[in-house]
Amino acid sequence: MFRRPIRIVRFVKPAARAYGRVLPRVTRRTYGEYHFPGNKAESLEHSQIFKVSQAIQQDHSELEDYYKRIINSKDRDEQRRFQNAFVWELARHSIAEELVVYPTLEKAVSDGAQRADHDRAEHQKVKEQLYEFQNMKPGDEKFLPTLEALFKDLKHHIKREEEEDLVKLEEALGLTQSKELCQKFEKTTYFTPTRSHPSAPDKPPFETVVGLMTAPIDKIRDLFTKFPDYKKTKPYGGQSP
């Protein structure tokens, strides 16, 4: 005779009920082991509730956080880690915008083509500065001045993009299309290069082809690159990143 298998049932204690104001379940990307390469991929869950402008603004906020950490840190290892994070994030963000957001801007907004061309020109300048910065080390004489000049131009671009281009884009798209574009934007960052390549094309389909050829090389480099460890990093400005 065969004995019937014993079924083991685990009883899990229900989570305690939270009282007071309930925060949104997803407010931003998961950091630490989920955010940077070499570990688990960053979550796309937030793109299900984010508009494309919110995702882009969040990237901008993260870049500013990395910039401030580099500028204010006296620890060269910490500066190096956040330098790598800054380059990694800005390279992916810029190319994803050029592949996904700007073509949509051209089609959806009446003067979108002129706006997209202007944004690409600003990107090109930033890419050239980023290429110079990514090849520097903390302690180099031009390390901080190069970053400061880069971020000054980037801030100018961010201000115009957030206050003008994204406003017009959201008005033209509507909520459903904006969320769909957000998901497409986020997924595209998985396949983009993670270093600056200023000589590469800045429009699809050529940018797509070059990106697919370049990205694997960059991602191999990422495996040997130091990134911030948020479990060991002190919160910036008194708040956890």
Side-chain angles (χ1 to χ4, degrees):
M1 295 181 63
F2 294 96
R3 298 181 60 185
R4 295 181 63 184
I6 299 173
R7 183 182 179 187
I8 300 176
V9 180
R10 291 185 62 191
F11 292 92
V12 181
K13 183 179 179 181
R17 181 180 177 183
Y19 292 91
R21 187 169 67 93
V22 179
L23 296 175
R25 186 168 63 90
V26 180
T27 57
R28 62 182 303 166
R29 292 190 187 92
T30 306
Y31 273 88
E33 63 177 335
Y34 299 101
H35 191 61
F36 294 114
N39 296 297
K40 296 181 181 179
E42 63 191 80
S43 172
L44 287 176
E45 191 174 10
H46 75 285
S47 68
Q48 297 173 11
I49 61 172
F50 269 30
K51 296 186 293 184
V52 67
S53 61
Q54 292 174 307
I56 291 174
Q57 288 167 356
Q58 181 179 287
D59 282 355
H60 293 164
S61 178
E62 289 172 10
L63 286 166
E64 184 171 7
D65 177 66
Y66 302 156
Y67 166 77
K68 289 179 178 179
R69 288 179 181 269
I70 297 168
I71 293 294
N72 293 310
S73 177
K74 303 299 181 183
D75 184 327
R76 290 187 179 179
D77 179 68
E78 184 179 34
Q79 285 182 317
R80 183 64 168 176
R81 289 174 183 272
F82 279 100
Q83 175 194 15
N84 293 333
F86 184 90
V87 171
W88 184 79
E89 184 67 48
L90 182 53
R92 297 163 71 244
H93 172 87
S94 299
I95 297 175
E97 281 190 331
E98 292 168 1
L99 290 175
V100 175
V101 179
Y102 295 166
T104 305
L105 180 66
E106 290 174 329
K107 295 176 182 178
V109 178
S110 59
D111 60 343
Q114 292 85 353
R115 290 181 176 276
D117 286 342
H118 185 273
D119 287 335
R120 290 189 183 99
E122 291 184 335
H123 272 197
Q124 183 61 30
K125 184 177 181 180
V126 170
K127 286 179 184 178
E128 291 170 359
Q129 293 169 307
L130 186 63
Y131 180 80
E132 184 180 358
F133 178 65
Q134 74 188 17
N135 293 312
M136 293 181 174
K137 296 179 180 179
D140 289 350
E141 184 178 353
K142 295 184 178 181
F143 180 80
L144 291 180
T146 300
L147 176 61
E148 289 170 344
L150 185 165
F151 198 75
K152 181 180 179 181
D153 290 335
L154 181 60
K155 284 285 287 184
H156 172 77
H157 169 74
I158 288 173
K159 179 178 174 63
R160 183 179 183 278
E161 188 171 72
E162 290 186 356
E163 295 180 359
E164 298 180 28
D165 296 346
L166 292 179
V167 173
K168 288 185 173 292
L169 182 60
E170 291 288 5
E171 290 174 352
L173 291 180
L175 182 59
T176 300
Q177 286 184 305
S178 180
K179 287 183 177 181
E180 291 174 353
L181 185 62
C182 176
Q183 289 183 311
K184 189 176 180 181
F185 170 76
E186 293 285 0
K187 290 177 181 177
T188 300
T189 61
Y190 282 132
F191 307 103
T192 58
T194 58
R195 302 289 190 281
S196 179
H197 303 280
S199 60
D202 60 2
K203 289 183 180 181
F206 300 108
E207 185 174 23
T208 307
V209 174
V210 174
L212 289 173
M213 293 172 62
T214 309
I217 299 173
D218 286 351
K219 294 182 186 300
I220 290 174
R221 291 176 181 170
D222 289 340
L223 297 176
F224 304 95
T225 299
K226 290 183 177 181
F227 287 93
D229 182 351
Y230 278 98
K231 294 179 180 179
K232 298 179 181 178
T233 302
K234 293 181 179 180
Y236 181 80
Q239 298 180 349
S240 178

